[in-house]
Amino acid sequence: MVKNKDDIQREATKIIKSNRASLLLMGTGTGKTYTALSNMDGKILIVYAASPHYQNWLLEIEKWDIQKDITFTTYDSLHHLIGTKWDWICLDESQ
């Protein structure tokens, strides 16, 4: 059965809401960024690998008019945030 984008996002949302940790393995264009952002609240840390990923996050946040407490860092700079408490940590393109 082929699922459409909305079905995939609904299924991912159920998984996120019922687990302390989740891994979104969704295809290109299925709304991973939107699904993640729409299900996170509180203090959010997004860790990304390279500048193009950061730019994509900013574009998606603007596109969906997301108003949340989000901090960005790279994997290389993550050590500077040791000891900081987060409600959500999103590892984009985790390494």
Side-chain angles (χ1 to χ4, degrees):
M1 177 176 143
V2 176
K3 294 182 180 180
N4 65 34
K5 184 176 177 176
D6 291 336
D7 291 338
I8 293 168
Q9 289 177 350
R10 270 193 294 279
E11 189 173 321
T13 294
K14 283 184 202 174
I15 292 168
I16 292 168
K17 292 200 180 286
S18 64
N19 294 281
R20 267 189 65 126
S22 302
L23 175 63
L24 296 181
L25 297 173
M26 297 163 58
T28 302
T30 56
K32 290 180 293 293
T33 304
Y34 175 77
T35 301
L37 286 172
S38 65
N39 284 288
M40 295 187 288
D41 54 7
K43 193 171 177 182
I44 302 165
L45 175 64
I46 297 176
V47 186
Y48 62 94
S51 184
H53 297 282
Y54 174 68
Q55 295 301 323
N56 184 60
W57 279 101
L58 295 180
L59 289 170
E60 291 291 314
I61 288 168
E62 183 178 341
K63 174 182 175 182
W64 299 107
D65 192 28
I66 304 289
Q67 304 293 320
K68 298 190 178 196
D69 181 8
I70 301 173
T71 299
F72 291 91
T73 191
T74 63
Y75 286 97
D76 291 339
S77 298
L78 185 57
H79 66 278
H80 294 293
L81 299 172
I82 291 174
T84 307
K85 301 286 185 197
W86 307 98
D87 295 302
W88 289 91
I89 299 174
C90 179
L91 304 174
D92 187 22
E93 304 287 330
S94 68
Q95 301 178 352

